[in-house]
């Protein structure tokens, strides 16, 4: 099952022009699944991105707009699109000229995949107790 998920994420990199990295982490920043394009620079693949998103998302929810689902951050050369999928965080790193709407749609598509991962982790931790 894990190999199938890795292959699925690697196919995402070829499906979306400009997508450099797709990472799934837990809220503590532990990387559960990662696919990187060959030309992806290492700082954007660090696990701190997921943890930072969790903190920013929690702060944004205090604005009175309810729970935050995603955050888009655009920099000079890159963009980060991050999703809050229950207990997991999906992060896409793309070139600044990548289609942001397509990345947002892709994140919504992956919600079912991350739900499978979250369920498996929950069952594993429940069985370990």
């Amino acid at each position: 099952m894990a190999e199938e998920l890795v292959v699925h994420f690697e196919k995402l990199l070829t499906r979306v022009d400009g997508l450099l990295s797709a990472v799934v982490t837990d809220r503590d920043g532990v990387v559960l699944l990662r696919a990187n394009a060959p030309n992806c620079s290492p700082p954007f693949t660090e696990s701190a991105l997921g943890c930072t998103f969790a903190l920013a998302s929690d702060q944004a929810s205090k604005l009175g707009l309810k729970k935050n689902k995603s955050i888009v951050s655009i920099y000079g050369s890159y963009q980060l699109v991050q999703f809050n999928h229950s207990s997991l965080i999906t992060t896409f790193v793309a070139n600044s000229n990548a289609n942001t709407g397509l990345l947002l749609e892709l994140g919504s598509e992956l919600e079912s995949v991350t739900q499978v991962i979250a369920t498996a982790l929950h069952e594993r931790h429940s069985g370990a107790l």
Side-chain angles (χ1 to χ4, degrees):
M1 173 83 159
E3 296 87 21
E4 293 172 10
L5 289 172
V6 171
V7 169
H8 181 68
F9 267 66
E10 288 174 350
K11 287 181 182 177
L12 294 176
L13 298 177
T14 60
R15 188 173 137 193
V16 179
D17 288 336
L19 182 59
L20 302 173
S21 180
V23 182
V24 176
T25 63
D26 66 6
R27 292 186 66 81
D28 295 326
V30 176
V31 176
L32 303 172
L33 184 62
R34 177 190 334 224
N36 291 329
N39 57 348
C40 184
S41 58
F44 283 116
T45 61
E46 292 184 17
S47 61
L49 288 174
C51 187
T52 303
F53 170 79
L55 291 171
S57 182
D58 288 343
Q59 290 299 315
S61 69
K62 293 178 182 178
L63 294 172
L65 300 172
K66 298 195 179 182
K67 188 175 178 181
N68 185 290
K69 294 181 181 182
S70 63
I71 293 178
V72 177
S73 304
I74 300 176
Y75 302 93
S77 300
Y78 299 99
Q79 62 179 301
L80 298 174
V81 181
Q82 297 176 290
F83 301 90
N84 187 0
H85 292 146
S86 63
S87 61
L88 301 181
I89 296 167
T90 303
T91 302
F92 295 134
V93 178
N95 291 327
S96 60
N97 60 353
N99 186 331
T100 306
L102 185 58
L103 293 171
L104 288 167
E105 184 179 313
L106 186 61
S108 297
E109 286 178 28
L110 289 178
E111 191 166 4
S112 61
V113 173
T114 56
Q115 188 61 38
V116 169
I117 297 169
T119 302
L121 286 173
H122 179 71
E123 289 174 358
R124 183 174 184 186
H125 287 299
S126 296
L129 297 177

